[in-house]
Amino acid sequence: MASKVIQAIYNDDDVLMTAVKKVKAAHHHIEEIYTPFPVHGLDKAMGLAPTRIAITSFLYGLVGLSVAITMMNFIMIEDWPQNIGGKPSFSFIENMPAFVPIMFEMTVFFAAHLMVITFYLRSKLWPFKKAENPDVRTTDDHFLMEVSVSGNEDEVMSLLQETGAVELLVSEKH
């Protein structure tokens, strides 16, 4: 089902932030905002919920730490114990200071790689995906805000014009 949206194009991020606050204060729904670079505070101005990305990163780090401990315990203690530099080879705990760099690196490795995979899956990005950007200027120096309309098109158009939009377009969003 297609819905009607108004695309307001801005050429300054400060003007965009002010416009977002005015549109939200007027209780209109902002579908999406396209920017050429991250705009600090835009998520809070739009009223978006905080992400749980830090929690998933921590959990992925714990997975990496668990894999590192299991791997080192099996390889260096159970499977093929060796006397390296006079260190005892019968206890993981006694050898742990030598294993700290490996544990750290595996924690970072798992957290980083699994976060990239999670980001791509969550954002629905994959190779050869067609771009969903409605205006190519938003990859260079313009900002685009899509506001949904349902019978109040003139009111929204006048509000967006007052906020400093340099261009307004009405289109169907699928």
Side-chain angles (χ1 to χ4, degrees):
M1 180 176 160
S3 61
K4 210 177 226 188
V5 294
I6 297 176
Q7 296 175 344
I9 298 177
Y10 298 89
N11 56 9
D12 186 15
D13 58 335
D14 293 329
V15 175
L16 173 74
M17 283 295 290
T18 306
V20 168
K21 291 174 185 173
K22 286 181 182 177
V23 169
K24 291 304 278 186
H27 303 292
H28 295 292
H29 177 65
I30 299 173
E31 288 286 330
E32 189 66 68
I33 295 181
Y34 298 91
T35 63
F37 53 83
V39 178
H40 180 69
L42 187 59
D43 53 343
K44 289 182 181 163
M46 288 178 64
L48 299 177
T51 66
R52 297 180 297 267
I53 201 156
I55 296 169
T56 58
S57 180
F58 178 73
L59 293 175
Y60 292 154
L62 286 179
V63 169
L65 181 64
S66 302
V67 167
I69 289 172
T70 304
M71 177 188 74
M72 289 182 303
N73 186 51
F74 178 74
I75 292 171
M76 297 299 290
I77 305 301
E78 294 176 19
D79 185 40
W80 194 9
Q82 297 179 37
N83 186 350
I84 301 172
K87 293 186 175 108
S89 58
F90 54 84
S91 169
F92 179 80
I93 298 297
E94 291 176 351
N95 282 321
M96 191 164 23
F99 295 155
V100 168
I102 299 168
M103 291 187 292
F104 172 78
E105 292 298 331
M106 291 291 283
T107 301
V108 172
F109 178 85
F110 270 71
H113 285 79
L114 291 175
M115 284 304 299
V116 168
I117 292 169
T118 301
F119 171 76
Y120 284 142
L121 292 175
R122 184 79 177 107
S123 301
K124 298 177 183 162
L125 293 174
W126 48 82
F128 312 110
K129 183 177 188 293
K130 187 178 179 292
E132 297 176 3
N133 196 349
D135 193 328
V136 294
R137 293 177 290 176
T138 61
T139 62
D140 188 21
D141 61 350
H142 283 72
F143 305 85
L144 186 140
M145 175 174 32
E146 288 184 341
V147 181
S148 60
V149 292
S150 54
N152 58 350
E153 186 176 327
D154 294 333
E155 174 192 346
V156 176
M157 290 281 272
S158 65
L159 174 66
L160 292 172
Q161 193 68 46
E162 291 171 13
T163 62
V166 295
E167 188 177 329
L168 294 173
L169 304 164
V170 179
S171 66
E172 297 287 326
K173 181 130 179 149
H174 299 283

